[in-house]
Amino acid sequence: MPASAFDDINWDMQSTYPSSLTQLGTLGKVIQDRLAATSGGQVNVTFQEPGAIVPALEAFDAVSSGAVQAAWSTPGYWTGKDSALALFAAVPFGPQAGEYYAWIRFGGGQELLDEIYANYNIKSLICGVIAPEASGWFREEIKSIDDLKGKKMRFFGLGAKVMEKVGVSTQLLAGGDIFPALELGTIDATEFSMPAIDLKLGFYQVAKHYYFPGWHQQSTLFELMINKDEWDALSDDTKALFETVCEANVAYGLAEGEAIQFTALKELQDNGVTIHTWPPEILDTLRAAWGEVVEEESAGNPNFKKAWDSLSTFRENYKTWSDVGYLK
Amino acid sequence: MPASAFDDINWDMQSTYPSSLTQLGTLGKVIQDRLAATSGGQVNVTFQEPGAIVPALEAFDAVSSGAVQAAWSTPGYWTGKDSALALFAAVPFGPQAGEYYAWIRFGGGQELLDEIYANYNIKSLICGVIAPEASGWFREEIKSIDDLKGKKMRFFGLGAKVMEKVGVSTQLLAGGDIFPALELGTIDATEFSMPAIDLKLGFYQVAKHYYFPGWHQQSTLFELMINKDEWDALSDDTKALFETVCEANVAYGLAEGEAIQFTALKELQDNGVTIHTWPPEILDTLRAAWGEVVEEESAGNPNFKKAWDSLSTFRENYKTWSDVGYLK
């Protein structure tokens, strides 16, 4: 057989999610398996559980310095480095998966992401997308915005800033810490992910009111982070392989996410969970609060403003198409 | 460098679309280029223009017999072989791209497709999906169902049977034959594809009324057809490469389709085209006619019924999720 044009790679990929977590972890494993299968075993990028090399939230610095070659994560974890990265993870009242990935791939999103990460010696490939999240779990029914005031809630990303605006006291807990906090009453409510994932974490055992839609996260992007020196040194063929495997993971993750929610919803209802949808007036209030958050974030960080302007312009244009193209 | 586990392949891929056609043709070229780039040049599947080896609509028989190893097409072209294949191409009032691909990948769709194609010694990989089509071009404004009666219209697939039910006389013309027929008045109207594609074919020069949404084709699947003896003889690594490149093409095609329509719509409007959306009563009439078509097709072909039942059950379940999961 002829020689292949792939580089021989033996990298570690520090995951920010455990491999046991539906989609959030399993999609990272798919990357590892597909890179190996499509390279004749030459491109080995080994999934490492959180903490195996460095703790999950130190993956950014580890990839940046080259201490680890790669990481599996979401840009939304790194807002402490640059708040603009939140816009490459999940946007309140933002695009669904197809529109979001269209912006990344053909609307200038990837180029803006490259600009930001270049400051940290990191190349990030968008390498997965999932369907909408749920809005969250509440121990008590929420009938008005007033019922939200004073509630202590686990919340992620830009949505947390919106919740703060309407009087919710938010904190960010890792997936494994949420259940005990909810059980003990340290928090009154939590959002985490989609029904199929939330089911596994058992929140339904201590909170019976499950709210939709997840206005804060209508789709979520995941990334394969690679130390930029390592990336730049790869052959064109190997780069093409990474890009192809990641693009396949986008379609795979979206399809899987869409396919596995209804069974989970049914199982939750069989376990006594009540499914609620937010009334329009609550969504309107949250949307207005999001407008304030955008103004503040844009004023505080030129990178945020630049990415927001790019995404907003794309969405305005896209709307002229989606308004007529799609059956209501 | 070590030897790769890929097979050395030099295949032809007979396309049913010219390479110059936006998405319909270009997505086929992407497959050729990506297979080569991700295999170190070992997996060569050469895009062949329609007629280069066999005429477009003879690609099925050529792949089946092994006269050509592969073809780029849509299952919707082969309803003369098995009418059930229409359900793997585009479904009137059917799923959007994410839901459709979820059925193919995780809902049993691919397995049903394999069953049908095995009868013809063909392996078909779903290898692309595009955003909604437009409903069509009319020389005169359509204000009611009565205005449709007696119109001669170019129409593709299952949607054509629906149009016949409401009194339209349909015929299927190849892309290149539509413009002259519309110009000469041989037909009064046509659907073909999405704004970016329709723009290139110039229909706006002879018909000024452009209707949406494309109820007959909210998303369209494309396929890479491979002679099954050739497919079965491939190594697992080479099969994995084909599957990965095709899955990447699904995400790529969807993103591209979503990104390029709004500019085309604007250009069409600048050229004097009026954009119309169908009133609800016309859509309701078409939906009812589609129900009749489904009954007739199901009665006439057990494979159609089996695929329809599978897709319908998946869609019913999916709806319990999408109704709550998505922001309206």
Side-chain angles (χ1 to χ4, degrees):
Chain A
M1 280 189 290
S4 138
F6 291 129
D7 303 297
D8 273 299
I9 285 178
N10 279 292
W11 286 358
D12 286 310
M13 174 174 65
Q14 176 61 61
S15 176
T16 54
Y17 303 99
S19 62
S20 59
L21 209 52
T22 303
Q23 291 219 282
L24 308 185
T26 54
L27 287 176
K29 293 281 275 189
V30 172
I31 299 170
Q32 166 194 288
D33 296 345
R34 275 207 159 156
L35 283 169
T38 54
S39 67
Q42 283 185 262
V43 177
N44 298 291
V45 176
T46 306
F47 184 101
Q48 298 288 357
E49 299 291 342
I53 301 178
V54 295
L57 296 184
E58 291 174 22
F60 186 104
D61 289 338
V63 172
S64 178
S65 71
V68 61
Q69 298 93 346
W72 164 245
S73 180
T74 169
Y77 272 149
W78 318 121
T79 52
K81 302 291 182 181
D82 190 321
S83 60
L85 290 171
L87 295 173
F88 299 86
V91 180
F93 300 98
Q96 294 175 10
E99 181 185 358
Y100 208 176
Y101 189 61
W103 173 63
I104 291 288
R105 193 66 162 82
F106 294 95
Q110 181 68 52
E111 291 76 7
L112 289 168
L113 188 62
D114 286 346
E115 265 181 49
I116 294 170
Y117 270 121
N119 298 324
Y120 301 94
N121 199 38
I122 292 172
K123 167 70 184 177
S124 165
L125 295 169
I126 294 301
C127 203
V129 58
I130 59 171
E133 295 207 342
S135 185
W137 297 87
F138 291 80
R139 294 161 65 102
E140 296 165 20
E141 191 174 350
I142 303 296
K143 293 182 175 164
S144 69
I145 280 284
D146 283 343
D147 289 346
L148 285 172
K149 290 195 204 313
K151 288 272 186 298
K152 287 168 294 185
M153 185 168 188
R154 185 269 182 196
F155 222 103
F156 169 83
L158 291 166
K161 293 178 194 282
V162 176
M163 292 303 269
E164 292 277 346
K165 292 267 177 207
V166 300
V168 174
S169 169
T170 69
Q171 51 187 295
L172 185 57
L173 299 172
D177 298 332
I178 299 173
F179 182 88
L182 199 58
E183 189 175 30
L184 286 169
T186 316
I187 54 175
D188 305 303
T190 186
E191 60 80 51
F192 185 64
S193 189
M194 307 189 295
I197 299 173
D198 288 353
L199 169 67
K200 285 217 171 174
L201 291 178
F203 306 139
Y204 67 91
Q205 295 167 40
V206 285
K208 295 293 183 189
H209 300 280
Y210 198 20
Y211 280 79
F212 292 87
W215 53 270
H216 64 301
Q217 227 162 319
Q218 283 283 290
S219 64
T220 310
L221 300 177
F222 296 90
E223 64 181 344
L224 175 61
M225 306 167 81
I226 300 172
N227 175 273
K228 196 159 178 304
D229 299 327
E230 299 276 5
W231 173 258
D232 290 341
L234 295 177
S235 69
D236 286 347
D237 284 11
T238 311
K239 284 180 184 171
L241 185 69
F242 272 103
E243 288 166 344
T244 301
V245 165
C246 278
E247 191 142 56
N249 219 35
V250 168
Y252 178 89
L254 177 61
E256 184 182 46
E258 293 286 52
I260 63 179
Q261 305 312 322
F262 51 77
T263 314
L265 271 181
K266 180 150 192 326
E267 188 171 341
L268 289 167
Q269 286 171 303
D270 290 345
N271 278 283
V273 170
T274 304
I275 307 293
H276 301 270
T277 53
W278 292 118
E281 62 273 19
I282 288 187
L283 288 175
D284 289 346
T285 304
L286 293 167
R287 194 188 294 266
W290 165 236
E292 292 174 35
V293 171
V294 168
E295 283 195 27
E296 289 165 12
E297 296 291 321
S298 296
N301 179 359
N303 284 348
F304 188 99
K305 184 174 187 320
K306 192 173 174 187
W308 174 255
D309 287 347
S310 168
L311 178 61
S312 300
T313 302
F314 184 86
R315 296 203 71 199
E316 262 172 53
N317 287 327
Y318 177 80
K319 192 169 184 302
T320 64
W321 151 244
S322 63
D323 277 352
V324 299
Y326 283 93
L327 267 172
K328 299 297 174 295
Chain B
M1 281 188 291
S4 139
F6 291 129
D7 303 297
D8 273 299
I9 285 178
N10 279 292
W11 286 358
D12 286 310
M13 174 173 64
Q14 176 61 61
S15 177
T16 54
Y17 304 99
S19 62
S20 59
L21 210 51
T22 303
Q23 291 221 281
L24 307 184
T26 54
L27 287 176
K29 293 281 275 187
V30 171
I31 299 169
Q32 166 195 288
D33 296 344
R34 275 208 160 154
L35 283 169
T38 55
S39 68
Q42 282 185 262
V43 177
N44 298 292
V45 176
T46 306
F47 183 101
Q48 298 288 357
E49 299 291 342
I53 301 177
V54 295
L57 296 184
E58 291 174 22
F60 185 104
D61 289 338
V63 172
S64 179
S65 71
V68 62
Q69 298 93 347
W72 164 245
S73 181
T74 169
Y77 272 149
W78 317 121
T79 52
K81 302 291 182 182
D82 190 322
S83 61
L85 289 171
L87 295 173
F88 300 86
V91 181
F93 299 99
Q96 294 175 10
E99 181 185 359
Y100 207 177
Y101 189 61
W103 173 63
I104 291 288
R105 193 67 162 82
F106 294 96
Q110 181 68 53
E111 291 76 7
L112 289 167
L113 188 62
D114 287 346
E115 265 181 49
I116 294 170
Y117 270 121
N119 298 324
Y120 301 94
N121 198 39
I122 292 171
K123 168 70 183 178
S124 165
L125 295 168
I126 294 300
C127 203
V129 59
I130 59 171
E133 295 206 343
S135 185
W137 297 87
F138 291 80
R139 293 161 65 102
E140 296 166 20
E141 191 174 350
I142 303 296
K143 293 182 175 163
S144 69
I145 280 284
D146 283 342
D147 289 345
L148 286 172
K149 289 195 205 313
K151 287 273 186 299
K152 288 169 293 187
M153 185 168 188
R154 185 270 183 195
F155 222 103
F156 169 83
L158 291 166
K161 294 178 194 283
V162 176
M163 292 303 269
E164 292 277 346
K165 291 269 178 205
V166 299
V168 174
S169 169
T170 69
Q171 51 186 295
L172 184 57
L173 299 173
D177 298 332
I178 299 173
F179 182 87
L182 199 58
E183 190 175 29
L184 286 169
T186 316
I187 54 175
D188 306 303
T190 186
E191 60 81 50
F192 185 65
S193 189
M194 308 188 295
I197 299 172
D198 287 354
L199 169 66
K200 285 217 172 175
L201 292 177
F203 306 139
Y204 67 90
Q205 296 168 39
V206 285
K208 295 293 184 188
H209 300 280
Y210 198 20
Y211 280 79
F212 292 87
W215 53 270
H216 65 301
Q217 226 161 318
Q218 283 283 291
S219 64
T220 310
L221 299 177
F222 296 90
E223 64 181 345
L224 176 61
M225 306 167 80
I226 300 172
N227 175 272
K228 196 159 179 304
D229 299 327
E230 299 275 7
W231 173 258
D232 290 341
L234 295 177
S235 69
D236 286 347
D237 284 11
T238 311
K239 285 180 183 169
L241 186 69
F242 272 102
E243 288 166 345
T244 301
V245 165
C246 278
E247 191 142 56
N249 219 35
V250 168
Y252 177 89
L254 178 61
E256 184 182 45
E258 293 287 51
I260 63 179
Q261 305 311 323
F262 50 77
T263 314
L265 271 181
K266 178 147 194 328
E267 188 171 341
L268 289 168
Q269 286 171 302
D270 290 346
N271 278 283
V273 170
T274 304
I275 307 293
H276 301 270
T277 54
W278 292 118
E281 62 272 18
I282 288 187
L283 288 174
D284 289 346
T285 304
L286 293 167
R287 194 188 295 266
W290 165 236
E292 293 175 35
V293 171
V294 168
E295 283 195 28
E296 290 165 11
E297 295 291 320
S298 296
N301 178 359
N303 284 347
F304 188 99
K305 184 175 187 320
K306 192 172 173 186
W308 174 255
D309 287 347
S310 167
L311 178 61
S312 300
T313 302
F314 184 85
R315 297 203 70 199
E316 262 172 53
N317 287 327
Y318 176 80
K319 192 169 184 302
T320 65
W321 151 243
S322 63
D323 277 353
V324 299
Y326 282 93
L327 267 172
K328 300 296 175 293

